[in-house]
Amino acid sequence: MNKYFTSTAYNNIVIWFLSHICLPISYFLNSLSFSPNTITLLSFFSWTIGCKFLIEENLNFFCFFLIFSIIFDFCDGQVSRISKKINTTNLNVDHLSDIIKISLLFLSFGILLNSRDYWILIFITNSLYLFFCVLHAEIGKLNSKLKIKNIRQ
């Protein structure tokens, strides 16, 4: 098993494919001394520009910037593993960026479609997504505390 891939890459063909495409890019970004958080910001800005093009109904540029954002999103984790940089703060920039990007995509579709029914659907899906993210983070913290407690016993 390659130490620069997550275990998910071996169970999911799409993640496996993207991981293999992004690994050379990750080595290149690491050689330029890009930090994982800088790459996350590049991903966020690419996504934001893509959403702008979605609102303007320019789907070619939307797809172009969306693909760049996904590539950068894969590269930030790989660069983190390559450079052995561990996040020591309580702020997880990558996770926060992902939450904002999905919310921004929902908002862009709402502006593009501009219908009350779509706005209601977007509000519900965005609320459920944010609820899931918060719940997932809290369960992760609980699991970490339980692991620490079990190790101490």
Side-chain angles (χ1 to χ4, degrees):
M1 185 162 144
N2 190 325
K3 62 184 176 182
Y4 302 122
F5 297 162
T6 61
S7 59
T8 311
Y10 295 98
N11 300 325
N12 185 321
I13 188 77
V14 175
I15 295 175
W16 178 86
F17 181 73
L18 282 169
S19 296
H20 279 81
I21 288 175
C22 293
L23 189 59
I25 299 168
S26 298
Y27 277 117
F28 177 71
L29 291 171
N30 188 49
S31 71
L32 296 175
S33 299
F34 277 71
S35 72
N37 285 344
T38 303
I39 298 169
T40 299
L41 288 176
L42 287 173
S43 172
F44 178 76
F45 289 134
S46 295
W47 189 278
T48 304
I49 293 167
C51 287
K52 174 195 168 290
F53 283 117
L54 175 65
I55 292 169
E56 294 174 354
E57 298 183 30
N58 189 337
L59 298 181
N60 291 330
F61 280 117
F62 165 69
C63 291
F64 177 77
F65 281 101
L66 184 73
I67 289 169
F68 265 110
S69 178
I70 291 169
I71 288 172
F72 284 138
D73 205 25
F74 269 84
C75 288
D76 64 1
Q78 287 180 334
V79 168
S80 178
R81 288 185 285 279
I82 290 168
S83 64
K84 296 179 176 70
K85 290 188 178 175
I86 299 170
N87 187 6
T88 56
T89 64
N90 286 334
L91 178 63
N92 187 342
V93 176
D94 186 42
H95 184 68
L96 181 63
S97 168
D98 291 340
I99 290 172
I100 294 171
K101 286 189 301 188
I102 295 296
S103 299
L104 188 60
L105 184 66
F106 287 148
L107 177 65
S108 299
F109 272 111
I111 293 170
L112 175 69
L113 301 172
N114 201 14
S115 166
R116 185 181 59 143
D117 295 336
Y118 286 119
W119 276 110
I120 292 170
L121 181 63
I122 288 166
F123 175 76
I124 291 170
T125 54
N126 198 36
S127 298
L128 290 174
Y129 175 75
L130 293 174
F131 172 76
F132 167 77
C133 289
V134 170
L135 183 64
H136 180 72
E138 291 301 317
I139 289 173
K141 288 179 190 175
L142 181 63
N143 284 338
S144 296
K145 288 179 184 178
L146 290 174
K147 285 179 185 177
I148 292 171
K149 185 178 179 181
N150 289 336
I151 290 172
R152 290 181 181 166
Q153 290 179 350

